[in-house]
Amino acid sequence: MKDSHYDVAIIGAGMSGLAAGIRLAHFGRKVCIFERHNAPGGLNSFYSIAGRKFDVGLHAMTNYVPPGVRGTPLGKLLRQLRIDREEFALCPQKRSRIAFRDCDLKFTNDFAVLDGEVTARFPSQADGWRALVQLVRTFDDVSLEAKPVAAREVVGRHLTDPLLTDMIFCPLMYYGSAQERDMEFGQFVIMFKALYLEGFARPLDGVRVIIRTLLEKFRQAGGERRMKCGVARIIEREGRAAALQLDDGSEVTADHVISSIGYPETMRACEPPHAAEAEANTGALSFCETISVYRQAPATWGWGDDTIIFFNDSDRFDYAQARELVDPRSGVICFPNNFDYAGGELAEGFFRVTCLANPGKWCALAEPDYQAAKAHWLGEMQRSARRFLPAVDDGVLARNLVTTDMFTPRTVRKFTGHLNGAIYGAPRKVRDGRTHLSNLYLCGTDQGFLGIIGAMLSGISMANYHILQKSAT
Amino acid sequence: MTKDQCRKLVIDIIADIAPDEDLTAVKPEVRLRDQLQLDSMDFLDIVMELRKRHGIEVPESDYMQLASLDSCAEYLTPKFQAKAS
């Protein structure tokens, strides 16, 4: 058993696990991160096909504030991880849009733009809107003890127009809700701040810039990382996580275990497994995403400067598991070319479309049917998204097209281990990160801080709260 | 270790924790919280960095002693001297 005992073992090398690891290693803990996949990043990772780099997960980093704005999640995160802002090389968005059948609302990293759009298009809602914004600004969204309240109910006290309500909810749900049709109000506040009061940014080279910064900090702090080395079992004894059995059959022990793999996934990994608890809190929401690569930037043929477009054409926005393989009625368009790269630009044009999907149906398909379904839905999703873009001749797109790729819930499940490919995890979050075992804590998506900045803050908070603060006193 | 050196050492720690703060004109007698944007997470980091870098322990009941640079110097200098001797 030599060299196999750690102060802290972290399961998963995603954003939250890496952030927790950096904090703990920086303050002298002997830490090891165990990751089953060969690439770090978890739900926000990257891959290459034929030498071309793709991001998966990240459309835009939310919570962006310009240099000098302090006291927001981005600033907290940079301080806590001792990261210089420049290292993330963030470039702000140009502008985004919520596009419903008969109404558009523009928003940018300046909240006054959305504020003006809402009050101009929905004058009867202006007072309620201002009251809602005030409530969001003053709400304690990082409390670890907050009681859950339904956001639809709270928002309904201020906004009475269903169209405006749906338009405000749409981006917040698409960028973080694990719950169908509603959100917990604390999560609504986190997302409202992250998207509307703060904003979007992206490094020119994508999410890998952020992941590499985290890996380098973790290495410098003395942390250990074992890739292609998943944790198969968390062995319980006397109310504690007594040992971790790795995929290769060997065992390690740790004083504390932080799991970033999700609530139901963690419950199922426990030995004995807690199948009923896992079953009762497993996410059902997953997505398909298509990526088209073009020779030129989409603005060249008139698709404009929008960075992200959240679209919907049904009477009421229906954020729920798709009944068919994909629900193309609503979705998200991302043009990674349309960030303000301060003189730099991407070498090729990218057009990404994301829609709600049905994980059970995707996972049940036999291989040839799976490939055929991907090809079919790639076309359908793009057709649906293009209804919300200026019309462009099919021939122009076809001549410019270099390649396409697509992920489905099945892809997400395969590479991240998330049951149902549930990108936003379990519907009920575990805010204080506690589990039935006294030395096993959750961090990441299922602890409930959202987005990639939220994921990193989750790892930081759980490391501070359960480990560093306890020994500081 | 003099009180001046002690103040400098606390400033060095804050500079690493909060590089986005301007520390050139910090008034030693004024509470840090009133002139810099430091939250409870940042104060906890000051305590942990003191332990990591200098082996100085600050129990939670003494956190208020770290309110200003002067009070830091008052409280920490004897601890540094005790360690050195």
Side-chain angles (χ1 to χ4, degrees), chain A residues 122-381:
Chain A
F122 298 90
S124 71
Q125 300 288 299
D127 290 343
W129 166 251
R130 274 189 284 270
L132 176 65
V133 173
Q134 184 56 25
L135 176 63
V136 166
R137 284 189 192 275
T138 51
F139 190 82
D140 179 12
D141 53 354
V142 291
S143 162
L144 299 181
E145 285 103 26
K147 291 270 176 301
V149 198
R152 289 266 184 197
E153 191 191 316
V154 180
V155 173
R157 285 179 217 144
H158 302 287
L159 302 183
T160 50
D161 186 314
L163 176 61
L164 176 60
T165 305
D166 280 355
M167 290 182 85
I168 294 303
F169 266 100
C170 173
L172 309 188
M173 289 179 146
Y174 260 109
Y175 271 9
S177 180
Q179 206 185 322
E180 295 180 290
R181 299 186 181 90
D182 202 348
M183 303 172 79
E184 193 278 305
F185 186 65
Q187 306 250 306
F188 175 90
V189 170
I190 290 177
M191 294 307 288
F192 193 104
K193 290 179 179 170
L195 274 72
Y196 300 146
L197 296 179
E198 295 160 18
F200 296 151
R202 178 183 188 275
L204 177 63
D205 289 327
V207 73
R208 70 196 63 213
V209 174
I210 292 168
I211 295 169
R212 282 184 184 147
T213 304
L214 297 178
L215 291 176
E216 183 55 17
K217 289 278 160 190
F218 183 61
R219 192 191 62 75
Q220 283 171 1
E224 185 183 336
R225 183 160 59 94
R226 294 177 65 179
M227 304 302 286
K228 293 171 96 169
C229 183
V231 171
R233 288 275 166 262
I234 300 166
I235 296 161
E236 286 185 37
R237 258 175 245 130
E238 294 165 359
R240 289 177 57 80
L244 301 178
Q245 190 187 95
L246 307 180
D247 286 340
D248 65 9
S250 64
E251 268 190 21
V252 297
T253 55
D255 294 343
H256 302 275
V257 178
I258 300 180
S259 171
S260 71
I261 62 173
Y263 173 82
E265 294 81 0
T266 303
M267 291 302 111
R268 288 193 357 170
C270 284
E271 182 62 52
H274 290 246
E277 288 91 332
E279 180 85 17
N281 196 12
T282 298
L285 288 169
S286 191
F287 303 88
C288 282
E289 179 163 300
T290 68
I291 305 175
S292 306
V293 183
Y294 296 103
R295 279 178 243 289
Q296 292 172 291
T300 318
W301 52 80
W303 270 355
D305 265 357
D306 290 316
T307 310
I308 314 281
I309 302 165
F310 298 89
F311 65 87
N312 171 60
D313 79 338
S314 44
D315 292 333
R316 290 303 306 264
F317 169 55
D318 189 19
Y319 184 78
Q321 190 182 80
R323 279 186 287 275
E324 301 304 317
L325 285 163
V326 176
D327 179 353
R329 293 175 302 164
S330 72
V332 188
I333 299 166
C334 169
F335 290 118
N337 300 82
N338 291 343
F339 287 84
D340 186 357
Y341 293 120
E345 58 181 291
L346 298 174
E348 295 175 305
F350 289 89
F351 170 47
R352 294 168 63 175
V353 182
T354 309
C355 291
L356 286 152
N358 184 308
K361 290 197 166 160
W362 278 106
C363 292
L365 292 173
E367 189 58 29
D369 299 337
Y370 177 66
Q371 294 306 334
K374 273 174 77 170
H376 170 74
W377 284 105
L378 185 128
E380 289 301 311
M381 285 168 63

Side-chain angles (χ1 to χ4, degrees), chain A residues 23 25-29 69-71 75-76 78-80 82-83 457 460-461 464 468-469 471-473, chain B residues 16-22 36-39 41-42 44-45 47-49 51-52 57-60 63:
Chain A
R23 287 290 293 171
H26 177 81
F27 288 112
R29 301 305 191 280
V69 177
R70 292 172 301 177
K76 281 185 188 167
L78 295 171
R79 283 187 181 188
Q80 287 276 303
R82 312 287 190 263
I83 289 172
L457 277 177
I460 291 167
S461 304
N464 287 353
L468 294 172
Q469 279 176 23
S471 53
T473 57
Chain B
D16 287 344
I17 292 173
D20 47 338
E21 293 285 342
D22 178 7
L36 301 173
Q37 195 153 355
L38 296 178
D39 65 11
M41 282 169 120
D42 298 319
L44 182 71
D45 269 21
V47 171
M48 293 200 296
E49 290 290 349
R51 181 205 286 151
K52 179 183 169 179
E57 297 286 344
V58 181
E60 196 174 2
Y63 283 4

